[in-house]
Amino acid sequence: MDKGRVLYAAQTDDALNMMRGKIYERRVERTDLAAFEEQYRVISHKLDRSALLHIYADDAPRRVSSATDGNAEDVYFAKLNSLI
């Protein structure tokens, strides 16, 4: 949902399967966050001392640490950003 509007309705397994192989994770310094957001489709980040990025890509991006299983939050942010 976004501002009371339903963005996407699907079975949880179907939505997660749609994200399989498309979510990549990378931890970067906070000072590098803006550069990564310009270069990649960063759909979310969690900040502590550094930033843990979730990046949406059809193919493994260069300079990205690892593929990760998508979760419901990834589905939401990908849909919110019109990536799926």
Side-chain angles (χ1 to χ4, degrees), residues 5-75:
R5 188 182 61 165
V6 174
L7 296 176
Y8 183 67
Q11 294 294 319
T12 303
D13 288 343
D14 294 339
L16 294 176
N17 284 335
M18 182 185 294
M19 302 301 286
R20 188 163 283 124
K22 296 182 186 288
I23 303 297
Y24 299 87
E25 195 170 77
R26 171 73 189 254
R27 185 166 291 280
V28 300
E29 296 299 320
R30 285 178 171 226
T31 55
D32 295 331
L33 178 59
F36 271 83
E37 288 180 323
E38 287 179 21
Q39 188 172 4
Y40 300 105
R41 291 184 284 183
V42 175
I43 59 172
S44 68
H45 60 268
K46 295 184 173 126
L47 299 175
D48 49 35
R49 288 183 168 174
S50 58
L52 179 63
L53 311 180
H54 271 209
I55 298 166
Y56 179 91
D58 290 325
D59 299 309
R62 294 179 307 131
R63 296 178 46 197
V64 174
S65 297
S66 61
T68 186
D69 290 334
N71 58 39
E73 184 177 89
D74 294 322
V75 172

